[in-house]
Amino acid sequence: MVTLITALFIVRFTKARFNYDELTGLYTIEKFKTEARKILATAKPDEYAFVCLDINKFQYLTDSLGRETANSVLNVLGAHFKKTVPNDSILTRRYADNFVMMIHTSFGPIIEDYVLNMISVVSKMGNLLPLHYTLEFSIGVYAISNPHEDIEIMIHKANTARTAGKYSPTPSRISFYSEQMSLNSEHEKEILFDMNRAFEANEFIAFYQPKFNFDDGKVIGAEALVRWNHPKKGLLEPGYFVPLFERNGFISKVDIKIFEQVCQFLDKWNKSGKNGECPKPLTISCNLSRYQLYNPEFAKQYSKIASQYQIEPSKIELELTESLMMDNKKRLLKAMNEIKKAGFDISVDDFGSGFSSLALLKDIPASVIKLDKEFFANTTHNGNNDEKDIHKDNIIVNSVIDMAKKLEMTTVAEGVEEESQAKQLREMGCDIAQGYFYAKPMCADDFERLLKNSL
């Protein structure tokens, strides 16, 4: 009899043990799905929602503080989430730092209130985290429109929303699922499966958007822009693939590929005149992604490629977007000095689109600033612009151009689309124009023809 009772106890204990996560005490994912199915069996459409939470940069905590401390953080989070989640909700740690809950509402504002309360955890962490370190979360929500849909699919949709929100150009703390996100997700998978093949097949090619001198209207160079020459889909714009490549790091390989094509173009052009001489000096700018800045060998790598084609580094500008300045000032300045030391010029792209420019201009060794087109979009009369707004914008653009001249920096206005803009910027003393009013991006052969016709 004792043996039978003991056996029953062991069975019950074992079942209970396998129903709960040992680290956090929350439901295991299998127990969570079982309970969710029971609840959703009698639920109405849009009565419940799945919420997916993930700690941003959790691997950093594991690497820097150790697995034991990282596990302690998860343990505290599990206890806190269990205490703050609404009473009629269920919760699981799906894996690592990924938590999922099913909540009895699909109304966005209520869910936001619940979730923002749940992730207010700094005071609960004690001495587990470094001083001033704040846990940040990416959060996705899927309102359950069909309660009889497969549980895994519903969780996947919440996770898709979380990922889409995390990597959005304008990320929000909580992202709500839409069908478009699934389309985007499939689109990304398609790109990921195809990118290595495309790279080996040399399908990533440089297009050139010419730059013109404001004073005489002559072509003085270009910006190299990547295009994907896909065998089935045709010529693909950067917006189709670059954002994903910037997230997964593949952009660094594409950057180098385009840089080498620019060197090849300049090598050919430099020998295309009479007696194999350069018919006209050109400067071409190439975009540099944030991944290159964290590669300690990138300056040497670029120098080696330029040397291979006998290109003077001063004939190539490396463009860094203003947003890069927000990442890591110390690393940015170190990278810029390495670029300068290698002989390349530096251009700050999208100047005026962020908040860090003025503070850093005194420190960065840049020789060119490119005015973001939004900077001068309202500097002319087009029937819609308010007179006061035009006056303010003119003052700002004038001041930036004047400041650049005093700092001995060249100014480039990119995105010039109207004759009135070109006239205004020329009168303000801007040095170089780039935009559809002058020329669209073009393949290497067309750019070469343009150059020859301009001689």
Side-chain angles (χ1 to χ4, degrees):
M1 187 69 176
V2 174
T3 305
L4 179 60
I5 292 172
T6 304
L8 289 171
F9 174 78
I10 291 171
V11 169
R12 287 174 183 169
F13 174 79
T14 303
K15 282 185 177 179
R17 182 181 164 204
F18 286 124
N19 284 335
Y20 295 92
D21 176 38
E22 289 185 8
L23 183 62
T24 62
L26 303 177
Y27 280 156
T28 61
I29 184 61
E30 291 306 320
K31 174 66 173 174
F32 175 86
K33 288 192 286 188
T34 299
E35 295 302 314
R37 287 190 193 98
K38 289 178 184 176
I39 295 168
L40 293 175
T42 56
K44 299 173 184 175
D46 297 316
E47 186 179 354
Y48 289 86
F50 277 118
V51 181
C52 193
L53 302 94
D54 205 87
I55 305 171
N56 295 340
K57 300 179 182 177
F58 185 71
Q59 191 60 45
Y60 161 79
L61 286 178
T62 305
D63 293 342
S64 58
L65 303 180
R67 171 60 63 186
E68 188 176 338
T69 301
N71 282 345
S72 296
V73 169
L74 293 174
N75 183 275
V76 172
L77 278 178
H80 174 69
F81 286 169
K82 192 173 182 179
K83 189 178 293 185
T84 53
V85 78
N87 291 332
D88 50 359
S89 303
I90 56 174
L91 179 66
T92 181
R93 182 173 75 106
R94 190 174 172 218
Y95 58 83
D97 60 312
N98 185 271
F99 294 84
V100 180
M101 71 173 177
M102 191 174 80
I103 191 168
H104 195 179
T105 181
S106 65
F107 186 55
I110 292 177
I111 293 175
E112 286 182 350
D113 285 346
Y114 284 149
V115 172
L116 293 178
N117 181 45
M118 286 177 67
I119 63 175
S120 302
V121 294
V122 176
S123 61
K124 312 291 178 185
M125 289 295 152
N127 298 320
L128 288 174
L129 299 176
L131 191 63
H132 305 308
Y133 186 88
T134 304
L135 286 179
E136 293 183 355
F137 297 82
S138 52
I139 302 145
V141 178
Y142 170 60
I144 302 171
S145 55
N146 176 12
H148 306 296
E149 191 173 21
D150 184 86
I151 298 289
E152 272 298 339
I153 291 175
M154 290 191 274
I155 293 174
H156 174 72
K157 288 179 178 179
N159 204 44
T160 296
R162 181 192 66 77
T163 305
K166 181 178 180 180
Y167 293 118
S168 166
T170 53
S172 58
R173 298 185 75 175
I174 301 175
S175 177
F176 289 81
Y177 176 82
S178 68
E179 289 299 328
Q180 185 62 41
M181 289 178 182
S182 279
L183 295 175
N184 292 342
S185 180
E186 290 304 312
H187 159 76
E188 290 188 357
K189 285 179 189 174
E190 187 179 343
I191 293 174
L192 289 170
F193 290 142
D194 207 22
M195 65 187 189
N196 287 304
R197 180 207 59 77
F199 187 84
E200 294 301 324
N202 295 314
E203 291 174 11
F204 298 109
I205 59 174
F207 261 48
Y208 299 87
Q209 183 164 35
K211 295 178 182 177
F212 295 79
N213 191 314
F214 261 124
D215 285 340
D216 57 17
K218 297 284 181 69
V219 183
I220 51 120
E223 178 183 0
L225 302 162
V226 65
R227 296 291 187 269
W228 184 346
N229 190 20
H230 198 283
K232 294 181 180 178
K233 298 181 179 180
L235 201 64
L236 302 175
E237 296 281 328
Y240 180 88
F241 56 92
V242 166
L244 178 59
F245 288 177
E246 286 178 337
R247 298 202 298 268
N248 67 14
F250 194 74
I251 191 66
S252 59
K253 293 180 70 173
V254 176
D255 279 349
I256 293 170
K257 174 82 77 176
I258 297 303
F259 179 81
E260 184 165 10
Q261 289 180 29
V262 166
C263 290
Q264 290 170 344
F265 179 90
L266 284 172
D267 180 40
K268 182 183 176 184
W269 174 252
N270 290 345
K271 298 171 182 173
S272 65
K274 291 180 180 179
N275 302 318
E277 295 177 352
C278 178
K280 178 183 179 179
L282 289 179
T283 299
I284 295 182
S285 59
C286 300
N287 292 292
L288 199 66
S289 70
R290 70 186 66 232
Y291 272 87
Q292 298 295 1
L293 301 185
Y294 289 91
N295 172 10
E297 298 296 318
F298 89 91
K300 290 179 184 176
Q301 197 172 11
Y302 276 50
S303 294
K304 184 178 179 181
I305 295 170
S307 176
Q308 180 184 338
Y309 293 96
Q310 299 177 313
I311 305 301
E312 296 230 1
S314 61
K315 294 303 176 187
I316 296 179
E317 284 174 15
L318 295 179
E319 290 194 8
L320 301 125
T321 60
E322 185 188 357
S323 60
L324 284 176
M325 299 180 190
M326 305 290 281
D327 275 6
N328 185 325
K329 179 180 175 181
K330 187 177 179 181
R331 176 63 241 177
L332 177 75
L333 293 177
K334 185 175 186 294
M336 281 185 153
N337 286 321
E338 287 168 356
I339 293 168
K340 207 67 178 170
K341 187 178 178 181
F344 299 105
D345 277 337
I346 298 171
S347 171
V348 178
D349 196 10
D350 296 335
F351 182 85
S353 63
F355 302 99
S356 58
S357 305
L358 291 176
L360 278 175
L361 273 183
K362 62 184 176 64
D363 298 323
I364 59 176
S367 53
V368 180
I369 58 173
K370 298 185 73 175
L371 302 175
D372 184 71
K373 65 180 181 180
E374 296 302 320
F375 223 35
F376 52 83
N378 299 319
T379 56
T380 57
H381 298 267
N382 63 9
N384 298 319
N385 298 334
D386 184 88
E387 197 74 38
K388 288 182 180 178
D389 290 339
I390 293 172
H391 181 62
K392 286 179 182 177
D393 289 341
N394 282 333
I395 290 172
I396 293 169
V397 176
N398 254 321
S399 299
V400 171
I401 292 172
D402 185 53
M403 176 185 65
K405 287 185 181 299
K406 288 176 180 176
L407 292 171
E408 298 182 340
M409 299 175 79
T410 301
T411 50
V412 180
E414 60 178 345
V416 181
E417 297 178 354
E418 299 172 10
E419 185 177 4
S420 56
Q421 287 177 335
K423 182 174 181 292
Q424 187 87 354
L425 288 160
R426 189 185 306 112
E427 290 172 355
M428 289 178 177
C430 190
D431 300 305
I432 297 168
Q434 178 185 343
Y436 277 28
F437 175 69
Y438 289 89
K440 294 181 179 181
M442 58 190 70
C443 68
D445 289 343
D446 288 345
F447 182 48
E448 188 177 356
R449 275 191 286 273
L450 176 70
L451 287 171
K452 288 178 177 177
N453 289 337
S454 70
L455 291 176

